[in-house]
Amino acid sequence: MSSQLHNTLLLLPLFAAAAALGRGGAGGAASTAPSLEFHHRFSAPLRRWAEARGRALPGGWPAPGSAAYVAALAGHDRHRAVSAAGGGSSGAPPLTFAEGNATLKVSNLGFLHYALVTVGTPGQTFMVALDTGSDLFWLPCQCDGCTPPATAASGSATFYIPGMSSTSKAVPCNSNFCDLQKECSTALQCPYKMVYVSAGTSSSGFLVEDVLYLSTENAHPQILKAQIMLGCGQNQTGSFLDDAAPNGLFGLGIDEVSVPSILAQKGLTSNSFSMCFGRDGIGRISFGDQGSSDQEETPLDINQQHPTYAITISGITIGNKPTDLDFITIFDTGTSFTYLADPAYTYITQSFHAQVQANRHAADSRIPFEYCYDLSSSEARFPIPDIILRTVTGSLFPVIDPGQVISIQEHEYVYCLAIVKSRKLNIIGQNFMTGLRVVFDRERKILGWKKFNCYDTDSSNPLSINSRNSSGFSSSTTENYSPQETRNPGGASQLRPLNNSSPAALYDSLLMMLILVHLAIMF
C-alpha cells in the first residue's frame, strides 16, 4: 500500500453537527413543498411527544447507545424483517450477531462502525470494529504462559482467554489457514501477524478455533453456534494502543480466513453480506444478504494476489459537470474518509470548488482537507453540488454528503470536502457510504448499493438467498484510523468535535460503557 497514507492525520468527524445540519438535502436550499419528518421510535422528538401526552414506555426509555437501546432496535428490526418477508423465505435466512444486527459509529474509538459479538463457551462479549479492508477476526487475548498484552491508553480493553472456553482449540501449524508455518515454534500452534496501513499498527499472536454466536433473521429467530477461526492477539501496536478497536477487529475481507468466507464455506449463508450506514451513526449488518432487485450494482475487480472490494469508476459528475474518468477504487469500511489520487482528486475538488458559492477557508495545517469553507454563525449549510460516481456498467453511486463540519475554535466552524489526496491509492471510506446500504456480494462478485434508511427494512423483492452448500482547540489528540491490511507496510489534529444535545453526541459518551462492562447473553 502507499506509504504516503501512513502518516496522514485526520480530524474528528462531527456527527452531532452532521445530524443537526443534514436536513433539506445536499444543497441545503429551503423548500416550500410539503414534507414529513421521520423519527425512529426512541428519538428525542418522539419521546417529547409521548411524555407531553402522558404516554410512557414500560420500563422507561432506553438510553441511546445502551445495551437495552441496541437490543430494542435489533429486535424491532427483526420483527419488521419478518413482516416484510411475509413470515420467512424458502432459502436459508440471513444471519447476524446474536446480540443484534445494530452497528454504531463511535467517534472516540477511531470513527469506525462497531458491533457486539459473543465467542466461546461460556460466551464472552466484545465490541469489535467492522473492517472490510482486512480479513482476520482477532481479539485481545490472555493465555497461560503468555506475556500480558499491552492495552489501549484508556484501559478499556477486555480479553479473550482461550483456556476459559471449553470450545477453544489452537490451530495447528499444518493447517491450510496457517500462513506462517516457517515461524512455528511448536507444531500445535500457528502464529499470525497482521500489519496495517496506519503507521506502526499491527496485531500478532496465534490462531484458534472457537464458536461465534449468531442469530437467524426470520420469523422464528434461532441462536446458532458457528465454528470460526480468530486470532488470539497477544501484541497490538500503533493505533490499537490509541483506543482504535481496543476490543478487537472483525475482518470482513474476501480472503478465506474472514468470517463471511467461513460462514459460506460451511453452507450457513450465501457468500454475501450487507452493511447499512446511517447518517446518525447507527447502522446494520446482515450475513447472507444479497440485496434487492432494485439496487444498483457493478462488478468487483478482485486482485487475486491481494483481494479487496475494488470496483472500476468510468466517470464522475459534479453538479452540472460530467466527465469520463477511469480509475479503480477500494471500498473500505475501516477508513473514516475518502482518499483519491490524481486525476480523480483534482477533478472532483476543483469542480466542486467552482460550483460552491461560499468563502474558502484559509489554508490550515491542522486540517488535512484542502477545500474548506467558512460557515457564518447564522448559516447551518450552504448549497453544494451533487457528486455522483459512474461505474463501468453505467450504475450511478450517489455521495449523499461528502463533507464534514469542523469546529476550529469557539463559535467558528468550517465545512470541508472530506477527501484526502493520495499518491496513487483510491479508497472510498465510510463518509462516501453514509446514507446507503452497501452489499458485498462475493458469490456473484458484485458490489451493490441503494439509498436506505437503516431503521427500515427492504420490501422491494429481495433476492433469493441460497447457501452454496445447502438447500478553540482542545487538548485531545486524535488521528484517522485506517486499518487497511497490507503484506508490505511501510502533527496530530487537535480540532475539537462540535457538541450539542443531539442523539449523536449522546451515543459517543454512552457507548464507552459498552466496552467497560461485560454483557451477558441468555441462551
Side-chain angles (χ1 to χ4, degrees):
M1 315 302 283
S2 173
S3 59
Q4 183 268 341
L5 296 179
H6 292 185
N7 298 316
T8 300
L9 302 178
L10 297 185
L11 308 177
L12 303 180
L14 306 183
F15 298 111
L21 304 179
R23 299 175 184 172
S31 173
T32 58
S35 64
L36 293 174
E37 289 192 2
F38 291 85
H39 302 285
H40 67 81
R41 63 191 305 210
F42 299 138
S43 66
L46 184 59
R47 180 175 180 173
R48 290 193 296 268
W49 181 90
E51 290 177 343
R53 289 159 177 78
R55 302 180 183 181
L57 286 180
W61 293 80
S66 66
Y69 182 88
V70 174
L73 286 178
H76 180 62
D77 288 340
R78 288 198 190 99
H79 174 75
R80 292 199 57 168
V82 169
S83 300
S89 62
S90 59
L95 300 175
T96 193
F97 299 120
E99 292 75 18
N101 62 8
T103 69
L104 295 158
K105 179 175 279 188
V106 188
S107 65
N108 50 0
L109 293 179
F111 301 104
L112 304 179
H113 270 262
Y114 287 78
L116 295 174
V117 302
T118 297
V119 297
T121 306
Q124 186 176 3
T125 301
F126 300 84
M127 186 172 171
V128 296
L130 304 173
D131 180 27
T132 60
S134 64
D135 301 303
L136 184 67
F137 168 32
W138 62 263
L139 296 170
C141 182
Q142 286 182 338
C143 59
D144 294 337
C146 297
T147 302
T151 60
S154 66
S156 59
T158 55
F159 300 103
Y160 168 71
I161 305 175
M164 295 186 65
S165 173
S166 62
T167 48
S168 174
K169 59 181 179 180
V171 173
C173 266
N174 62 2
S175 168
N176 292 334
F177 290 113
C178 188
D179 289 338
L180 301 180
Q181 294 182 359
K182 294 181 180 179
E183 299 182 25
C184 288
S185 58
T186 169
L188 300 178
Q189 196 173 84
C190 173
Y192 82 87
K193 182 173 184 179
M194 294 296 171
V195 181
Y196 301 84
V197 163
S198 294
T201 300
S202 67
S203 174
S204 61
F206 61 92
L207 299 177
V208 299
E209 289 185 9
D210 212 333
V211 295
L212 171 69
Y213 294 86
L214 300 168
S215 174
T216 58
E217 294 191 288
N218 57 4
H220 303 285
Q222 295 181 334
I223 299 295
L224 63 86
K225 301 178 183 180
Q227 194 79 15
I228 54 96
M229 189 181 68
L230 68 148
C232 175
Q234 297 173 269
N235 185 31
Q236 277 65 251
T237 64
S239 295
F240 296 136
L241 300 182
D242 295 328
D243 288 333
N247 282 260
L249 192 70
F250 200 93
L252 294 162
I254 297 177
D255 195 78
E256 62 181 359
V257 302
S258 73
V259 170
S261 296
I262 294 173
L263 297 180
Q265 290 164 7
K266 292 180 177 293
L268 297 174
T269 68
S270 62
N271 195 6
S272 180
F273 68 93
S274 68
M275 292 184 68
C276 186
F277 302 91
R279 298 185 71 173
D280 60 358
I282 292 179
R284 298 194 313 191
I285 184 169
S286 180
F287 300 106
D289 180 15
Q290 292 182 299
S292 56
S293 58
D294 61 344
Q295 70 184 7
E296 299 283 344
E297 297 180 349
T298 196
L300 289 170
D301 294 325
I302 299 177
N303 183 328
Q304 296 302 324
Q305 291 185 336
H306 186 66
T308 58
Y309 298 108
I311 67 170
T312 297
I313 301 298
S314 62
I316 302 173
T317 298
I318 310 297
N320 56 8
K321 187 177 180 182
T323 192
D324 294 331
L325 193 61
D326 291 333
F327 62 96
I328 294 177
T329 185
I330 298 168
F331 275 66
D332 180 13
T333 65
T335 300
S336 301
F337 300 108
T338 293
Y339 295 81
L340 293 175
D342 278 333
Y345 176 82
T346 296
Y347 178 79
I348 290 180
T349 54
Q350 291 186 357
S351 299
F352 182 91
H353 177 65
Q355 298 180 53
V356 168
Q357 301 299 315
N359 294 325
R360 186 173 176 182
H361 188 71
D364 191 331
S365 61
R366 300 164 301 180
I367 301 177
F369 308 124
E370 187 177 0
Y371 288 85
C372 296
Y373 304 89
D374 295 322
L375 287 174
S376 68
S377 58
S378 62
E379 64 180 344
R381 180 72 60 88
F382 50 81
I384 61 173
D386 293 333
I387 298 179
I388 299 176
L389 308 180
R390 186 180 75 248
T391 71
V392 290
T393 58
S395 296
L396 302 180
F397 185 91
V399 180
I400 306 298
D401 188 352
Q404 292 291 344
V405 175
I406 299 169
S407 173
I408 57 175
Q409 60 186 14
E410 189 173 3
H411 305 307
E412 185 175 347
Y413 310 104
V414 295
Y415 177 90
C416 296
L417 178 60
I419 303 175
V420 179
K421 189 172 185 178
S422 167
R423 289 181 181 173
K424 64 177 182 179
L425 187 64
N426 298 302
I427 299 177
I428 300 298
Q430 282 190 14
N431 68 320
F432 269 36
M433 297 184 236
T434 298
L436 302 173
R437 180 191 63 193
V438 182
V439 177
F440 301 85
D441 192 334
R442 300 107 62 82
E443 186 169 300
R444 296 193 294 142
K445 293 182 174 56
I446 64 100
L447 185 83
W449 62 89
K450 177 182 178 179
K451 289 185 180 180
F452 207 67
N453 180 345
C454 296
Y455 295 106
D456 293 337
T457 57
D458 197 344
S459 59
S460 57
N461 300 321
L463 297 174
S464 61
I465 300 172
N466 299 305
S467 64
R468 185 175 61 178
N469 300 322
S470 64
S471 29
F473 303 97
S474 70
S475 59
S476 61
T477 299
T478 61
E479 68 175 8
N480 181 54
Y481 171 55
S482 175
Q484 173 76 23
E485 182 186 332
T486 176
R487 303 293 182 181
N488 300 297
S493 165
Q494 294 183 317
L495 302 183
R496 65 179 177 83
L498 176 65
N499 293 315
N500 60 21
S501 59
S502 72
L506 299 176
Y507 299 156
D508 292 341
S509 61
L510 293 175
L511 278 170
M512 284 300 295
M513 297 172 58
L514 294 175
I515 298 173
L516 299 175
V517 298
H518 296 277
L519 300 179
I521 182 170
M522 300 181 63
F523 300 104

